[in-house]
Amino acid sequence: MELFILFGSFVFLLLIGTPVAFCLGVSSFLTVLYLGLPPVVVFQRLNSGVSVYALMAIPFFIYSGDLMVRGDIARRLVALAGALVGHLRGGLGQVNVVASVMFGGVSGSAAADASAVGGLMVPQMKARGYGVDYAVNLTVVGSIIALMIPPSHNMIIYSIAAGGRISIADLFTAGIIPGLLLALGLMVAAYFVARRRGYPTERFPGLRALGAIFVSAVPGLILVALIFGGVRSGIFTASESANIAVVYALLVTILIYRTLTWSEFVHATIGAVRTTAMVLLVIGCAASFGWLLAYLKVPTALVAFMQGLSDNPLVILLLINVALLVLGTFMDMSPLIVITTPIFLPVAQAFGVDPVHFGVILILNLGIGLCTPPVGAVLFVGCAVGRISIWTAMRTIWPFYGAALAVLLLVTYIPALSLWLPAQFR
């Protein structure tokens, strides 16, 4: 009965349109009342869920990403991507993907990537005769790359949801090869779609112009090396690197580029505060929900259930992936990480899956969910930027969606794609 109350009330509240944070909090509160536990337990768990030092990295990475968008760093990175790959078939489509790699390396946010890169690339692609659905779909699916490469704040959330036992530096490193593999898969898909539709290529600007564009983008690229190199080497923690990222972004946009105005600074600050408040409320309420799952021994029961279905790790990973893909269609990523990690991580570990490898699978899988209706947050952003309906985008998104699913299968069943690079730094 207690599980029925927990999940039943959660699903009911979700279906009637209640914000996810309140769904988690109210269902936890009702279950605690039924169990006869002190109601204050819910608030204690909520408080402990957000009182984690590593969470300090999230608001600062969000803040630094917004400063970079408003301070012209994103435009310079897109220009560099254009000079490097614009001459390939599909021209601006290839630029879109490479720009997502570059900007994802400084923002760590799929929504920020879709907004920044989409805002710059979609109008240009439309003006050059590219289909708006092609532009939006590449922007939407390409934004998943930001979740895989440093400084992905969703990797930090996963580490915390796993009890803080997993190294954030290892997670940052583990996502690099899968992220680049996803970029390659999307570029191949973009090439074939562009070839079928007859889209043009761009003129190569020449080595001299490429050098000038590269020099202009160097400050943004340095930040990528600063974040990853500092965390990986142990010079500073993820939280400290996030603070350094904000200071660096301010110095570059104010003193070097001189593009950040006072009004843009205020908007970036307010936006970061709002986003942080929403994320932390979801994490806190999900912590209460997760504690109840552990209290009711749901992970243990699920391990026993799956062991009864099969003793083959390949089958178990397939079942977990399917379950996560379904969940990702109607819930946002942050709460799903906090909710599903305590449930599925013990199952995966029981079948010999490394927790770092599982983290990469989880983040990529739920990232695909961000591109899937009805609650695909990044899909909404991309469609809003391109001013097209979700239905219009979904009719032609399948080549890019298929590329992402193919990479998910490769990452799931070839652990070395995630684990080889972290092993080289130990």
Side-chain angles (χ1 to χ4, degrees):
M1 178 57 71
E2 52 267 26
L3 288 176
F4 175 78
I5 294 172
L6 182 65
F7 288 105
S9 58
F10 173 77
V11 172
F12 173 75
L13 291 169
L14 199 64
L15 290 175
I16 64 175
T18 308
V20 173
F22 295 106
C23 295
L24 294 166
V26 172
S27 60
S28 300
F29 187 78
L30 293 175
T31 306
V32 163
L33 289 179
Y34 176 81
L35 291 170
L37 299 173
V40 73
V41 168
V42 175
F43 302 100
Q44 288 174 336
R45 293 296 168 179
L46 188 154
N47 182 66
S48 63
V50 298
S51 300
V52 179
Y53 176 74
L55 280 176
M56 288 182 63
I58 295 174
F60 288 104
F61 277 136
I62 292 171
Y63 191 22
S64 64
D66 206 351
L67 288 171
M68 291 169 199
V69 172
R70 298 176 185 276
D72 210 31
I73 292 179
R75 184 190 64 78
R76 294 168 193 265
L77 292 175
V78 170
L80 177 59
L84 289 172
V85 299
H87 59 284
L88 300 178
R89 171 65 68 180
L92 294 181
Q94 308 292 354
V95 174
N96 195 315
V97 177
V98 175
S100 291
V101 175
M102 292 183 176
F103 185 70
V106 296
S107 73
S109 166
D113 186 287
S115 177
V117 176
L120 291 167
M121 291 302 306
V122 172
Q124 293 184 49
M125 294 176 75
K126 289 167 66 176
R128 292 281 288 125
Y130 291 80
V132 66
D133 59 328
Y134 176 82
V136 168
N137 290 336
L138 257 182
T139 299
V140 168
V141 183
S143 67
I144 303 175
I145 299 168
L147 305 172
M148 306 301 297
I149 58 179
S152 169
H153 59 256
N154 288 288
M155 293 285 193
I156 300 171
I157 295 175
Y158 169 72
S159 174
I160 294 166
R165 302 184 306 273
I166 304 173
S167 166
I168 294 175
D170 282 350
L171 289 170
F172 277 0
T173 311
I176 292 176
I177 292 178
L180 295 177
L181 187 62
L182 175 59
L184 179 61
L186 291 175
M187 291 179 73
V188 171
Y191 171 86
F192 283 108
V193 174
R195 185 175 179 178
R196 180 165 53 85
R197 296 189 182 188
Y199 291 150
T201 59
E202 303 298 310
R203 184 180 64 84
F204 181 66
L207 293 178
R208 185 184 296 274
L210 175 61
I213 294 170
F214 175 79
V215 170
S216 176
V218 161
L221 297 174
I222 287 176
L223 181 58
V224 179
L226 187 67
I227 292 171
F228 176 72
V231 173
R232 182 68 266 183
S233 64
I235 296 174
F236 41 73
T237 65
S239 299
E240 291 166 346
S241 73
N243 286 268
I244 291 170
V246 171
V247 174
Y248 181 86
L250 285 171
L251 291 175
V252 169
T253 54
I254 294 175
L255 299 180
I256 299 178
Y257 292 156
R258 299 183 179 182
T259 49
L260 185 67
T261 64
W262 174 253
S263 63
E264 294 288 353
F265 170 75
V266 171
H267 285 307
T269 304
I270 294 173
V273 170
R274 287 176 176 169
T275 304
T276 300
M278 290 187 292
V279 170
L280 291 184
L281 180 60
V282 168
I283 290 174
C285 292
S288 298
F289 193 90
W291 177 81
L292 275 170
L293 291 176
Y295 181 84
L296 297 173
K297 300 181 180 179
V298 172
T300 304
L302 187 61
V303 169
F305 173 73
M306 287 198 164
Q307 285 175 334
L309 290 177
S310 174
D311 59 358
N312 188 333
L314 303 182
V315 175
I316 297 301
L317 284 173
L318 178 63
L319 292 174
I320 291 175
N321 268 319
V322 171
L324 290 172
L325 285 171
V326 172
L327 290 170
T329 62
F330 63 87
M331 278 190 69
D332 204 4
M333 188 169 187
S334 295
L336 268 179
I337 293 172
V338 183
I339 294 170
T340 57
T341 297
I343 297 175
F344 290 120
L345 179 57
V347 176
Q349 288 183 293
F351 286 88
V353 178
D354 187 280
V356 172
H357 176 211
F358 181 76
V360 176
I361 296 171
L362 179 74
I363 298 299
L364 178 54
N365 188 306
L366 298 183
I368 294 172
L370 293 176
C371 308
T372 311
V375 192
V378 174
L379 179 63
F380 293 157
V381 172
C383 290
V385 170
R387 298 180 181 178
I388 62 172
S389 69
I390 291 176
W391 169 243
T392 302
M394 289 304 297
R395 283 187 299 178
T396 55
I397 200 173
W398 302 109
F400 311 113
Y401 197 82
L405 287 175
V407 173
L408 175 61
L409 288 175
L410 289 173
V411 170
T412 299
Y413 293 120
I414 307 177
L417 292 174
S418 303
L419 300 179
W420 177 80
L421 193 56
Q424 306 310 304
F425 287 90
R426 291 172 184 162

